[in-house]
Amino acid sequence: MTGLRTLSPALVLLLAGCLAGTTPAPRTPSPSASPVQLAPGITWWRTDDTRGPWRMAIVRVDLTQRDVQLRAVHARDSLAGRETTSGLATRLATGPLVPRVAINADFFDLRTGRSENNQVTDGEWWVGRMVTDSPFDTYDNVHSQLAVAHDGRASIGRYILDARAWGRGGVVPVLGVNHAPSGTYEGTVLYTPRFGARTPRDSTRRDSAATRRLAEVSLRAVGARADTMLYVVTAAPSSAGGMGIPADGAVLSAWGDRTPALQQWRANDTVRVWLGTQPMLHDARPPMQLIGGWPRILEAGVNIAADAPSREGTISRNAEARHPRSAVGLSRDGRTMWLFAVDGRSAASVGMSLVELGDAMRALGAWDALNFDGGGSTALVIDGKVVNAPTDATGERAIANALLVLQRR
């Protein structure tokens, strides 16, 4: 398992002075670099704290800046596979938006590179789940995620997919996007070209005595009405599975008792699809960006990391031990963001527990904060260069997805 403006030195030193309750009496840390303004609204700095000892790299972002944007990105522009955070940022340094900052984000399967939570990139749903797909939870639940609304305001919450399709015969709930949990009695999944060339062939979702237990419908995208996508059915429903996913559309797949609803659909029917979240964002629209972590460590200014085992099913060897850490924090109004990386597993910096991480984020001024994947995955990248010290023997680890801070050229 894996700045609104240039900050004064006094503000940099505030970090250690505000930490409390998890370490010995405060001492004044020594900043190893002065705050640097990368661009209007983006400032970063390093600082050391002898109490850990800890060595930290921090970025502050003003999300109200017109030329600053956030983007959730997946390695290799694919749901599977891995790529280093610095490599990903370098690869995407083309076009009108340039990655100035990148940080590793969600937990992921080391073998496949598939991330555990939802991901939305520039309004497009790459993955939508009802429950986080993690083998490490002590119980199945929804992990916390970072969401960015259309107006650039960010928030942290336990967002689940809230989706439905309207077609002949009424409304059908959509219970997954490019992800189908195994062994469920019934379900519906929208497969988009991000999934691959074809839907999966899965005999566990098909009654061998009745092919009616599976129905798949090919859809061609024809436009949108506000935030609702419009499709046209291209052919009669199929019960075979493994249907080709059109490059200009999607496939809606249903099994179990959800099958009859799709069997009513006919070629040339119009289908409307809404993909959103519960809870809804403040503007009542689907997110522009959505990316996961585990767990939330600050909520409404309170350090809740100690409650992570019961809130989000964390395991002690991750949550309560000191490790290198990556994290994101937000101001109360969701207009200022902090990205944070602390080194670990060395004499110079021992890493943090989640409680210590929560204290550090609160000292920076964060109101809400989320832990990202840490350990060997921790990588904070500034203009293509890693500014922390990755701990894998081979160097920077290839990860599944990352959060980018982009600046318009």
Side-chain angles (χ1 to χ4, degrees):
M1 176 177 57
T2 58
L4 287 173
R5 58 186 181 276
T6 300
L7 302 181
S8 67
L11 185 55
V12 175
L13 301 181
L14 179 63
L15 173 60
C18 295
L19 291 168
T22 59
T23 55
R27 300 176 187 172
T28 302
S30 300
S32 55
S34 300
V36 175
Q37 187 175 58
L38 295 173
I42 309 174
T43 303
W44 86 280
W45 68 98
R46 293 189 184 100
T47 188
D48 292 340
D49 188 333
T50 59
R51 293 175 302 160
W54 296 307
R55 179 160 293 168
M56 298 158 281
I58 305 158
V59 178
R60 189 171 188 253
V61 183
D62 177 4
L63 298 179
T64 67
Q65 289 289 323
R66 185 180 59 182
D67 292 335
V68 172
Q69 295 183 23
L70 302 180
R71 179 176 293 163
V73 294
H74 205 285
R76 303 187 180 279
D77 289 332
S78 171
L79 291 179
R82 297 192 289 148
E83 189 174 12
T84 63
T85 306
S86 60
L88 190 155
T90 299
R91 178 172 59 81
L92 296 177
T94 60
L97 295 171
V98 181
R100 302 305 306 272
V101 182
I103 192 168
N104 70 290
D106 205 358
F107 292 77
F108 61 94
D109 186 316
L110 279 166
R111 180 178 58 87
T112 66
R114 292 187 178 272
S115 54
E116 295 183 352
N117 291 284
N118 297 332
Q119 183 178 321
V120 177
T121 300
D122 296 342
E124 177 191 351
W125 280 83
W126 283 51
V127 182
R129 296 181 172 100
M130 307 302 292
V131 176
T132 295
D133 184 30
S134 173
F136 296 100
D137 293 357
T138 55
Y139 62 93
D140 289 339
N141 72 105
V142 179
H143 292 177
S144 294
Q145 299 145 71
L146 172 74
V148 183
H150 285 250
D151 64 358
R153 177 178 168 184
S155 59
I156 294 170
R158 300 177 74 175
Y159 297 107
I160 65 171
L161 176 69
D162 177 29
R164 56 194 68 90
W166 291 266
R168 184 188 296 261
V171 61
V172 177
V174 177
L175 304 177
V177 177
N178 293 331
H179 173 78
S182 61
T184 54
Y185 179 76
E186 65 182 31
T188 51
V189 175
L190 185 73
Y191 291 103
T192 76
R194 296 294 181 185
F195 182 83
R198 294 186 173 274
T199 65
R201 289 186 180 272
D202 189 346
S203 59
T204 64
R205 299 192 189 101
R206 181 174 178 178
D207 184 338
S208 60
T211 59
R212 295 190 304 273
R213 302 302 291 174
L214 177 68
E216 293 192 336
V217 179
S218 179
L219 305 171
R220 177 170 55 87
V222 294
R225 184 175 299 149
D227 295 314
T228 300
M229 296 175 291
L230 302 178
Y231 294 93
V232 169
V233 177
T234 62
S238 169
S239 60
M243 176 176 284
I245 302 173
D248 61 347
V251 171
L252 186 61
S253 178
W255 64 94
D257 288 348
R258 290 295 177 190
T259 301
L262 266 63
Q263 289 175 328
Q264 300 179 54
W265 293 6
R266 298 292 181 265
N268 299 316
D269 281 357
T270 297
V271 175
R272 296 179 293 129
V273 177
W274 159 270
L275 303 175
T277 64
Q278 285 292 345
M280 299 178 70
L281 304 190
H282 70 278
D283 60 357
R285 297 183 63 185
M288 277 296 290
Q289 316 291 333
L290 186 64
I291 198 164
W294 187 46
R296 187 173 189 163
I297 52 176
L298 289 184
E299 183 176 25
V302 177
N303 188 336
I304 60 171
D307 297 329
S310 58
R311 284 174 175 255
E312 296 189 43
T314 57
I315 58 177
S316 56
R317 72 183 187 191
N318 175 272
E320 296 158 26
R322 283 175 160 178
H323 294 288
R325 301 283 182 181
S326 301
V328 58
L330 301 173
S331 61
R332 188 170 188 171
D333 62 1
R335 304 291 188 181
T336 302
M337 181 182 74
W338 293 266
L339 299 177
F340 181 94
V342 58
D343 292 337
R345 302 173 183 169
S346 75
S349 185
V350 299
M352 290 181 174
S353 69
L354 288 187
V355 170
E356 291 170 331
L357 183 65
D359 285 344
M361 298 304 292
R362 183 172 57 184
L364 287 171
W367 183 251
D368 295 290
L370 173 68
N371 178 61
F372 282 151
D373 190 13
S377 297
T378 290
L380 182 62
V381 175
I382 306 293
D383 288 339
K385 180 181 178 181
V386 181
V387 297
N388 66 295
T391 60
D392 280 3
T394 55
E396 185 186 356
R397 178 182 293 176
I399 47 81
N401 62 10
L403 180 67
L404 302 186
V405 182
L406 306 168
Q407 179 193 8
R408 190 173 301 279
R409 291 182 189 270

